[in-house]
Amino acid sequence: MGSRGADALDPGWSAAHAGARSLVRRRAKPTIMFESWRGSYADSPRAVSEVLGQRARRVWVGADAAAFPDDVRTVRRHSPAYFAHLYGSRALVANDIITKHLVKGPRLFYVQAWHGTPLKLLGHDERSPAYGVEEHVRRMDRDVAKWDALISSSPDCTALLRSAFRYDGEVWETGYPRNDVLRSAGAPSIRTRVRDALGLREDDFVLLHAPTWRDDQRDDTGGFAPAVGIRTQGLRDVGRRIVVLDRQHHNVRRARVAGDGVIDVSRHPEVAELYLAADALVTDYSSAVFDFVVTGKPVLFFVPDLAAYEEVRGFYFDYHEWAPGPVVTGQDELAAAVEQLVVRGVSASDQTRYDQFVARWCPCEDGHAGDRVVERLCSVLDC
């Protein structure tokens, strides 16, 4: 293995999929194309690619070849080679709508891995046309029409995704492959590596702040504005240093300016690694919560604009009944909730709600979702 993509190929990730790679068989290899976040080596497509290993020729969409492992080919997005592979590959695995998916080869099997269980209204269920939903839905419908299979994490998730996409095709309720690493034997080594790289001490209590974007809030460049940050000055002395990892949504162009006790991790390539590095999650309306709870670590909900967000975007659930942890609206409330968590841990009532949440939304997240996806995919492609 060369130096290219060395950080991405942490042994912990490899350990998550070592069993599946032992099943390599000698036969003609199909070409499978992968696209994640329009050019990143991340998320469920990454996990599926690593399980497949040498069972297929893997072509990745990405402008920076150095960010990918040596044993895959990369093509630049929307280049002639990109469209050629959309037409000529045997399969496509993506985690988001492909906006210029204008062609589909006659043998192409398109697996949409999506990027999380929805909390906020999505697609056809959205109700804010003033913020560009109608144009987005047109692009979405064009792509959905090409899907051959959709990955889901649970029966309830399947129902939401069918509604949002108006999709009546095949669904693979395998769990999300991107979460396999959270349950892998290599998870502790990833936690140590990432915390060391960020300059964190072993006894630091680390909050990962991972909010979503606001449809109606723009910065002076026209991009989505960052969500309200955590005011670290309000966090009380609890005998441990509290550090905030600030992770803005990828739709937000500008990262928040890091300050005392805050580290900007918005451009860290793999959010699952941050889940492992953190001791608790602070979020708002992001689907990150459905993934983070696979770690078993606690979640706090900081929602200073809950009423406004519900008016603009809306939810699939009553927010307070849905949330598997304390819901706070102000900085002082948040500081008190953090103190409670660090000093006394999770309350019995919150733990009960948390366990019920995991049972409902994460029944398949056992560390082997990628294996199940590859088994289904190879049954189609005979690989």
Side-chain angles (χ1 to χ4, degrees), residues 48 91-93 109-114 147-155 157-158 161-162 167 169-177 364-365 369-381:
V48 173
L92 167 67
V93 180
F109 189 88
Y110 183 4
V111 179
Q112 175 55 248
W114 199 236
W147 295 358
D148 294 294
L150 171 65
I151 292 175
S152 169
S153 61
S154 69
C157 177
T158 297
L161 295 179
R162 285 198 184 280
Y167 173 74
E170 186 173 351
V171 175
W172 296 352
E173 288 180 358
T174 57
Y176 286 126
C364 301
E365 305 291 8
D371 297 346
R372 289 187 286 271
V373 170
V374 167
E375 181 181 2
R376 299 287 292 270
L377 184 58
C378 282
S379 71
V380 174
L381 305 183

Side-chain angles (χ1 to χ4, degrees), residues 307-331:
Y309 194 92
E310 187 163 17
E311 176 66 24
V312 171
R313 185 64 179 262
F315 305 111
Y316 284 104
F317 317 100
D318 178 281
Y319 189 87
H320 288 274
E321 293 182 3
W322 164 88
V327 177
V328 299
T329 58
Q331 295 281 358

Side-chain angles (χ1 to χ4, degrees), residues 11-68:
W13 281 89
S14 299
H17 308 305
R21 283 197 301 273
S22 68
L23 300 177
V24 174
R25 293 172 289 174
R26 293 182 178 274
R27 61 177 67 236
K29 297 179 180 180
T31 297
I32 301 178
M33 186 175 181
F34 296 88
E35 183 168 348
S36 178
W37 302 131
R38 305 178 184 182
S40 298
Y41 183 63
D43 210 72
S44 287
R46 169 185 174 170
V48 173
S49 177
E50 292 187 355
V51 171
L52 272 166
Q54 298 305 310
R55 296 170 74 172
R57 301 182 187 90
R58 293 165 293 158
V59 177
W60 270 87
V61 178
D64 181 8
F68 293 81

